[in-house]
Structures are given as C-alpha cells and as structure tokens.
Amino acid sequence: MSDCIFCMIANKEVASDIVYEDDNILAFRDNAPQAPEHVLIIPKKHIASLDDVSEEDSQVLSHIMLKVKDIASDLGMEGGYRLVNNCGEDGQQTVKHLHFHLLGKRKMTWPPG
Ligand code: 5GP
Ligand code: ZN
C-alpha cells in the first residue's frame, strides 16, 4: 500500500532502526519508545490489522511468534518482555498495518491503560 508508513518502512522508502529482517518480516525500533527497548514487528505484506488476517497469513503470523524470543534475546531482554497488539478503534491502533509491539528492559505494570 503506497500510503502506508509501515509498507514504506518495509520497502526502505522511509528509514528505520532495523533490529531484525528476513524475507517476510521486519522488526524496527519504535520512534516513540515506551520502554528502554521498544520494537515493532511487522509482516512485510500489508495486512491492516489482526481483524484482517486470513488463513493464508497463518505462516507469517506463526513466523513472527516464533521469532519473538530470538529478537528479545538479541536485545538483551533476559528478564522478560511484553508483546502487545492494538487492534481497531477501542484497541487504540493508530497505524493500520499489523504490528506487534515488543517492549522490554523495564518492569511492566498491569493493567495497561
Ligand atoms: P499503534 O498505536 O498503532 O499500536 O502503534 C503504532 C506505533 O508506531 C506507535 O508506537 C508509534 O510510535 C509508531 N510509529 C508511528 N510512525 C512511525 C514511524 O514512522 N517510524 C517508527 N519507527 N515508528 C512509528
Ligand atoms: Zn502497510
């Protein structure tokens, strides 16, 4: 999608601080970090939200889930981390390209705001 900021980041039309990349997914640092380490993990394919995934996306979704622990480990999140997906209006999703927030290197609180 030409007007999607995360598609532009995936296509390297917009610069980002990439921490992991392969053929199908990209992880880059959030530009407004909410923790000492805060990265966004995205499929390179444009999927608007978790509400919009279909059966054909199951491989890229499981791939993201399986990579989380490696990315967390590479970033030194030995104490644990939090993985967040904001979906839709009530979920306060602001960028309409599926992404998972991986936050770490501080103690999280619960419940989230
Ligand atoms: P959401 O609110 O949709 O779950 O999260 C979107 C996230 O994307 C926010 O945490 C925001 O800081 C981040 N973000 C928005 N635009 C950019 C950008 O151009 N570059 C980077 N690195 N992060 C962005
Ligand atoms: Zn997109």
Side-chain angles (χ1 to χ4, degrees), residues 74-95:
D74 288 348
L75 295 175
M77 298 179 182
E78 296 89 9
Y81 49 82
R82 183 168 288 170
L83 189 70
V84 174
N85 173 256
N86 297 324
C87 183
E89 203 185 325
D90 282 0
Q92 294 270 40
Q93 180 180 1
T94 58
V95 176

Side-chain angles (χ1 to χ4, degrees), residues 33-103:
Q34 302 301 312
E37 280 291 7
H38 181 176
V39 306
L40 303 169
I41 310 174
I42 67 167
K44 287 187 172 176
K45 172 192 172 184
H46 182 85
I47 302 169
S49 80
L50 207 50
D51 247 0
D52 298 282
V53 296
S54 58
E55 204 58 46
E56 70 184 32
D57 302 319
S58 58
Q59 215 165 353
V60 74
L61 287 172
S62 61
H63 183 51
I64 287 174
M65 290 302 132
L66 290 168
K67 278 290 166 199
V68 165
K69 65 179 189 306
D70 297 337
I71 297 168
S73 169
D74 288 348
L75 295 175
M77 298 179 182
E78 296 89 9
Y81 49 82
R82 183 168 288 170
L83 189 70
V84 174
N85 173 256
N86 297 324
C87 183
E89 203 185 325
D90 282 0
Q92 294 270 40
Q93 180 180 1
T94 58
V95 176
K96 308 295 190 271
H97 180 129
L98 178 64
H99 53 280
F100 296 90
H101 297 254
L102 175 62
L103 302 119

Side-chain angles (χ1 to χ4, degrees), residues 1 4-7 46-47 96-97:
M1 279 239 310
C4 170
I5 183 69
F6 287 180
C7 281
H46 182 85
I47 302 169
K96 308 295 190 271
H97 180 129

